[in-house]
Amino acid sequence: MSTYVGTGILTRQALRRDRVIAPIWVAILAILVYASAAATPTLYTTAAERVRAAEAINGNPAVVALYGPILEVRSIGELSMTKMTVLYTVFAAILIVILVRRHTRVEEESGRLELVAGTAIGRNAPMFSAVAESTALSVIMGVFAALASIGGGLGVSGSVAFGVTWTGIGLITTGLTLVACQLSASARTCAAMVAAALAVLYVLRAVGDISAEWLSWISPFGWNTRFRAWGEPRWWMTGLYVGSAVMMIAAAQLLRSRRDLGSGILAARPGRATGSRRLSDAISLSFRVHRGSLIIWSVAMAALGIVFGAIAPGVSGLLDTANAQEIISRLGGPGGMADALVAAVLSLTGIAVVCFAMSVIGHAGGDEGDGRTEAVLATATSRSRWFAATSVVAFGGVLWLLLVTGIFLWIGYGAVGAPADSHTNMIVPAALVWVAPAWLVVALAAALFAVRRSWTAIGWILPAACLVISMVGPLLDLPDWFVKISPYAHVPLLPGAEMDWSPLLVMTGIAILVTALGWWRFSRRDIG
């Protein structure tokens, strides 16, 4: 029997399991590409304005480190896709990491792959079904990115080349994730390895774009800019993406052949003979499980705060047209441009940190599905205590991450010199006002999990919908009633606006009520 027998069956099964998360993720990215392509020409109506904006971006090291340089300063396409070319491909890469890890290492760790291997399924079929799915998804993401760009009014050839870079990042992430999944027997460690590798590649690209250009050629994120999609595309660079991905997949296959099912190339360290007494408490145990993820999120939020804090004081030079400043004012509210940018960044951060809470709730759903919740409830831990442990880490994590963002935003803001008309002392409170809508979204997701375990994944739709409404609404000037569907639309836009406690107290009260109803439901439904 061939070792690849069953690849098609497993691929179809993987596509069925991902039929919710993959389309939603791709659709959101495509909508963001379309919004950026459609909105930017209205912000910079003349060639002179575009050149000034591009030169201002290239002259700001913090912006270049975050988004990459603009090589074709006269190109409306490159100006429109500045964020999408590098930063947003990270989000495309994250989707590939989630899916490849889910269908390879997670299946091995849970023991399900051993059961599958007991049937007429070849040894290499699981890995290559993950390759087939992620390759197809990478191509689809590239096609949708190109179509969204064309639909937004940008040129066809540049849009196609831009889509190729997205596909290339997807292919490379596939190979990178597969290699990581052969190194460790722990799915959590594999995720940390891939996250660290992507972070290193992004930092190499950032340093290369600012000073030593050769470093940008080491990183696939740097290739996205050097592809010159909106000028004279370097089509030969397509081979860099494909060749690198093929080599990493081949390396993963070689490593796979040298280890046993369920193990990793790197030997797992034995745990302590006895556990800490603190782990006997459900809340401490939940915090210990999510400690690594919370540390990674904290570092990411601190870096984001520092970078945008350094950018904010000089934002007036980057957005020197009336239309561009109006868009930022819609997102960030009244006050100076620096205050408006801070509020706009925090409004999106308030949505992003909800993803940490979603992962905590999703982990609780996974524990229940795998039978670990029953094992915990067989001890002296009550259902109420177990539900409270998940809720405390989810809600507390959101509060902590927004606090970290506010503190480091304040540090970055002050380090480069705040404008005279800004409200520097209100930056940390400005971050904390987004706790209320974030808690409301988390409470709704927790309630979905409490009603039925299989509804846990639906919770991801909530932050995704808020993100689309918050970003696309102001850019496309959508009706006010539509934008106000999102709880994030009711938050006072500090630091430039006046504080208004009413919507925050109402949303916090609703979040407490929904969580209580979720707790009541969870304490009465069947487990498993």
Side-chain angles (χ1 to χ4, degrees):
M1 183 179 73
S2 169
T3 57
Y4 298 95
V5 168
T7 300
I9 296 174
L10 293 180
T11 303
R12 289 196 294 274
Q13 186 205 33
L15 289 171
R16 187 177 187 284
R17 290 178 63 188
D18 301 330
R19 65 187 183 281
V20 175
I21 184 173
I24 291 175
W25 202 296
V26 173
I28 290 173
L29 290 174
I31 289 172
L32 295 177
V33 170
Y34 171 79
S36 185
T40 303
T42 64
L43 303 180
Y44 306 99
T45 54
T46 67
E49 288 178 348
R50 295 168 197 159
V51 172
R52 274 203 307 275
E55 290 176 343
I57 289 173
N58 288 339
N60 189 319
V63 177
V64 173
L66 188 64
Y67 299 142
I70 295 180
L71 302 182
E72 306 290 339
V73 295
R74 296 182 178 277
S75 168
I76 185 63
E78 187 157 356
L79 183 61
S80 302
M81 294 296 123
T82 302
K83 290 186 292 184
M84 305 296 165
T85 302
V86 178
L87 181 62
Y88 279 60
T89 55
V90 175
F91 301 116
I94 290 173
L95 174 61
I96 298 297
V97 173
I98 292 172
L99 299 188
V100 172
R101 173 176 163 271
R102 178 184 192 184
H103 298 301
T104 55
R105 177 51 69 182
V106 172
E107 290 295 287
E108 278 194 57
E109 191 175 24
S110 66
R112 286 190 289 268
L113 201 56
E114 190 170 5
L115 293 175
V116 171
T119 65
I121 296 292
R123 176 180 171 83
N124 293 321
M127 192 176 94
F128 279 88
S129 69
V131 172
E133 187 201 21
S134 59
T135 299
L137 194 57
S138 299
V139 173
I140 290 171
M141 278 197 296
V143 170
F144 272 76
L147 292 176
S149 176
I150 295 169
L154 299 182
V156 175
S157 62
S159 298
V160 171
F162 168 71
V164 168
T165 63
W166 276 48
T167 299
I169 288 294
L171 295 176
I172 286 181
T173 307
T174 299
L176 193 63
T177 310
L178 284 173
V179 170
C181 288
Q182 314 312 313
L183 296 178
S184 174
S186 165
R188 188 180 296 271
T189 303
C190 293
M193 287 179 177
V194 181
L198 291 176
V200 169
L201 292 174
Y202 202 89
V203 170
L204 283 175
R205 194 277 315 158
V207 175
D209 286 346
I210 294 173
S211 55
E213 185 180 347
W214 64 272
L215 286 174
S216 297
W217 283 97
I218 296 176
S219 168
F221 294 114
W223 300 348
N224 289 359
T225 304
R226 266 68 192 175
F227 200 94
R228 289 185 176 272
W230 304 100
E232 296 180 358
R234 293 168 167 161
W235 294 107
W236 60 268
M237 290 184 67
T238 306
L240 288 178
Y241 295 108
V242 177
S244 301
V246 169
M247 284 193 290
M248 285 189 284
I249 292 171
Q253 167 68 0
L254 179 63
L255 295 173
R256 173 76 178 81
S257 66
R258 295 174 182 272
R259 67 176 180 85
D260 293 330
L261 187 67
S263 67
I265 295 295
L266 304 177
R269 289 186 306 169
R272 295 180 180 177
T274 57
S276 169
R277 289 185 178 179
R278 289 177 298 176
L279 296 181
S280 62
D281 179 79
I283 295 177
S284 300
L285 177 62
S286 182
F287 175 75
R288 175 66 181 83
V289 168
H290 298 288
R291 185 180 61 183
S293 173
L294 187 58
I295 290 173
I296 293 173
W297 270 91
S298 299
V299 172
M301 290 299 105
L304 182 144
I306 285 285
V307 171
F308 276 103
I311 291 174
V315 69
S316 297
L318 298 175
L319 304 171
D320 62 348
T321 68
N323 289 337
Q325 294 182 1
E326 183 186 348
I327 288 292
I328 291 296
S329 297
R330 283 186 208 165
L331 286 166
M337 285 304 298
D339 285 348
L341 180 65
V342 167
V345 170
L346 289 173
S347 68
L348 300 178
T349 305
I351 300 173
V353 297
V354 170
C355 294
F356 167 77
M358 292 295 125
S359 69
V360 174
I361 295 170
H363 194 279
D367 283 345
E368 186 178 341
D370 293 338
R372 287 189 287 272
T373 301
E374 280 187 290
V376 172
L377 296 180
T379 66
T381 302
S382 65
R383 287 192 182 203
S384 300
R385 191 72 177 171
W386 190 87
F387 188 80
T390 300
S391 300
V392 165
V393 174
F395 287 99
V398 166
L399 173 62
W400 165 253
L401 292 174
L402 283 171
L403 179 62
V404 168
T405 305
I407 291 174
F408 281 87
L409 195 58
W410 174 75
I411 293 173
Y413 201 76
V416 296
D421 62 344
S422 63
H423 300 79
T424 309
N425 60 336
M426 290 298 292
I427 289 181
V428 176
L432 295 179
V433 296
W434 297 97
V435 170
W439 275 2
L440 179 54
V441 174
V442 174
L444 291 170
L448 287 170
F449 161 65
V451 172
R452 184 174 294 180
R453 181 184 66 81
S454 58
W455 289 6
T456 305
I458 301 175
W460 283 96
I461 296 176
L462 301 174
C466 292
L467 177 66
V468 171
I469 293 173
S470 298
M471 289 200 69
V472 177
L475 288 175
L476 300 184
D477 200 16
L478 296 178
D480 196 46
W481 65 265
F482 178 78
V483 176
K484 287 189 175 180
I485 292 174
S486 168
Y488 291 86
H490 303 277
V491 175
L493 295 173
L494 301 181
E498 293 291 329
M499 183 63 184
D500 183 2
W501 288 98
S502 301
L504 304 182
L505 293 175
V506 169
M507 285 189 281
T508 303
I510 296 174
I512 293 173
L513 177 62
V514 172
T515 305
L517 290 173
W519 165 81
W520 176 82
R521 172 59 185 159
F522 182 77
S523 63
R524 283 160 176 78
R525 74 167 170 85
D526 292 335
I527 298 295

